[in-house]
Structure formats: structure tokens, C-alpha cells
């Protein structure tokens, strides 16, 4: 059973924009968001958002990326503006809940490439 479905990503020029979407199982008290992994680097936090709508951003994207969620559609969005070449990575969606029923689902990843 697929628990997380990602869409979006692709190729953008520096300074451009892309939007990622992630649909997943949603109950109360879950946190959804995005992590990324560039070649030769560790996976890092991009942005996550709680069920109550509180966001947390990684330091390198704050002010450029915006995360939001639509609980009626079971979907989280990541709007990426003013993209830089260093944003190039595979982006993974995560859907996590730490109270019963506990779960921690990852998407398969979507490629984002920023290049002129």
C-alpha cells in the first residue's frame, strides 16, 4: 500500500521556481515535509509542517521556500522560489506520526535540478 505519493520537481533555471506536492495518509498529530539528498552528501531537512500548521525550515532554504498543507486533500506543498544550483538534489517526502497509530513513511524521491 502506497503511503506517500510525490509529484512535481524537474528542471529549473537559477532564480526560477518549482512546486512539489506530497499526498499521504493523514490523521491528527502527524508531521509531513521534505528532505533532500545531493550526490555525496547526507540527507538534510528542507521543510516540515505539523498537523496544526507550524512549519520548520532548514537554514539554507528559509526565506525562499514555503511549505503548506491542505488537510482536506491530504496533501502538503513545497513552493520553491529563487532556486539556486545548490538546491539540486533528490527530494523525499516524509509522513510521520509519533503517537498511536505510529508510522513513518518516506516517498521514493523526486529529482530537482537547478541549472542554466
Amino acid at each position: 500500500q502506497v503511503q506517500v505519493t510525490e509529484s512535481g520537481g524537474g528542471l529549473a533555471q537559477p532564480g526560477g521556481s518549482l512546486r512539489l506536492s506530497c499526498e499521504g495518509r493523514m490523521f491528527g498529530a502527524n508531521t509531513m515535509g521534505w528532505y533532500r539528498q545531493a550526490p555525496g552528501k547526507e540527507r538534510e531537512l528542507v521543510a516540515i509542517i505539523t498537523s496544526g500548521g507550524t512549519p520548520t525550515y532548514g537554514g539554507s532554504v528559509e526565506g525562499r521556500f514555503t511549505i503548506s498543507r491542505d488537510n482536506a486533500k491530504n496533501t502538503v506543498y513545497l513552493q520553491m522560489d529563487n532556486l539556486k544550483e545548490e538546491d539540486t538534489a533528490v527530494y523525499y517526502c516524509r509522513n510521520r506520526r509519533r503517537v498511536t497509530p505510529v508510522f513513518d513513511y518516506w516517498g521514493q524521491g523526486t529529482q530537482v535540478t537547478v541549472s542554466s
Side-chain angles (χ1 to χ4, degrees), residues 37-59:
Q37 188 166 19
K41 295 187 177 181
E42 294 187 353
R43 190 170 296 188
E44 65 174 356
L45 169 71
V46 178
I48 56 175
I49 187 167
T50 68
S51 56
T54 300
T56 300
Y57 294 96

Side-chain angles (χ1 to χ4, degrees), residues 5-22:
T5 304
E6 302 154 329
S7 61
L11 176 65
Q13 293 186 340
S17 299
L18 287 172
R19 190 175 83 155
L20 304 181
S21 299
C22 177

Side-chain angles (χ1 to χ4, degrees), residues 1 3 25-32 51 95-105:
Q1 182 179 2
Q3 304 294 350
R25 296 174 62 190
M26 284 191 181
F27 301 86
N30 75 321
T31 296
M32 288 186 68
S51 56
N95 183 5
R96 184 178 186 182
R97 179 182 163 96
R98 297 189 179 189
V99 296
T100 302
V102 173
F103 56 77
D104 190 359
Y105 302 123

Side-chain angles (χ1 to χ4, degrees), residues 39 81 108:
D81 297 318
Q108 62 184 10

